[in-house]
Amino acid sequence: MAEVSHPVFARVYERLSAAMDRAGTAAYRRDLVAGLSGRVIEIGAGNGRMFPHYPPGVTQVLAVEPERRLRAAAERAASTAPVPVTVVDGLADRLPGGDGEFDAAVVALVLCTVPDQASALTEVGRVLRPGGGLRFFEHVAADKPGRLHRTQRLVDATLWPKLFAGCHTNRDTVAAITSSGFVIEELRRFRFPATSNSPSSPCVHGRATWPGMAGPKHGQDA
């Protein structure tokens, strides 16, 4: 058991995620999983806001969520999902899946919270088959130096991670994905909301492929 509990954040996030979906993230979620098929692992499923968008070609979703209240909400959401969804406890750096077990992995607004992006992404690569896909929708560091970038560094060093369950706004997630061995096929950068200067407003949305090449943790020399 992951034994993760952020009860205040979980309550806030259940309301916030619904409001964000109404404001436009539902469309990003739908685009994120469009065209997927086979077995999918979703890491950091939260309260299950992604579940309604999985296309019929998906035969099973293993939804991993360590936070207890959000996992319970995800289990409720799974009961009305259009595809079979199994919700389980687990952490991004110790995924409950065998080597090469899944055809695709989905991460949405979660790589900002993991303690170590490299470990989490290496583990995602482990459970993907060669040629498997990673779909990602994340808020990230501002792509240009300036006031917003400085603000992100400041809030990450103070209250933001404590208030938002370990979230960090100033991560170069795209670099972490490529450094872990994934090949990015599509990438879009944007602000959400479009006119916002919030520390969490810079976002990336894209697709990457796992070529099956082993990294240091899989036995190759660094």
Side-chain angles (χ1 to χ4, degrees):
M1 299 290 288
E3 296 296 336
V4 173
S5 180
H6 299 289
V8 175
F9 169 78
R11 289 185 177 90
V12 171
Y13 184 76
E14 286 187 77
R15 296 191 295 270
L16 179 62
S17 61
M20 289 173 60
D21 276 5
R22 290 192 296 270
T25 58
Y28 292 121
R29 294 182 191 276
R30 182 170 59 251
D31 291 346
L32 190 67
V33 297
L36 286 180
S37 61
R39 300 195 68 203
V40 176
I41 184 167
E42 182 180 337
I43 298 101
N47 53 341
R49 301 297 300 188
M50 188 70 71
F51 299 167
H53 304 295
Y54 280 105
V58 172
T59 57
Q60 182 188 18
V61 176
L62 184 68
V64 182
E65 175 50 54
E67 208 289 322
R68 289 178 288 181
R69 182 183 177 95
L70 292 177
R71 188 169 63 252
E75 289 170 350
R76 294 190 294 271
S79 66
T80 59
V83 300
V85 178
T86 302
V87 180
V88 298
D89 190 7
L91 296 171
D93 58 1
R94 295 195 302 275
L95 293 174
D99 293 359
E101 184 176 343
F102 297 96
D103 299 294
V106 174
V107 288
L109 308 177
V110 66
L111 290 177
C112 58
T113 67
V114 298
D116 187 303
Q117 287 188 319
S119 295
L121 287 162
T122 297
E123 182 70 349
V124 173
R126 180 187 68 80
V127 301
L128 283 177
R129 62 168 175 79
L134 172 65
R135 304 290 183 91
F136 56 93
F137 169 33
E138 299 287 340
H139 62 80
V140 295
D143 58 354
K144 296 180 181 178
R147 180 176 296 178
L148 179 55
H149 198 276
R150 293 192 297 271
T151 299
Q152 289 179 319
R153 293 180 62 185
L154 175 62
V155 299
D156 281 6
T158 52
L159 291 178
W160 194 280
K162 296 178 182 178
L163 293 175
F164 296 101
C167 172
H168 292 76
T169 65
N170 194 38
R171 287 182 169 176
D172 189 348
T173 300
V174 174
I177 290 171
T178 56
S179 295
S180 297
F182 286 91
V183 178
I184 292 180
E185 308 288 351
E186 296 182 15
L187 178 65
R188 178 186 175 194
R189 293 184 181 270
F190 58 97
R191 293 277 186 94
F192 181 84
T195 59
S196 175
N197 284 315
S198 163
S200 62
S201 61
C203 294
V204 292
H205 186 287
R207 304 180 180 190
T209 301
W210 178 249
M213 294 164 41
K217 293 188 179 182
H218 293 263
Q220 273 190 344
D221 294 335

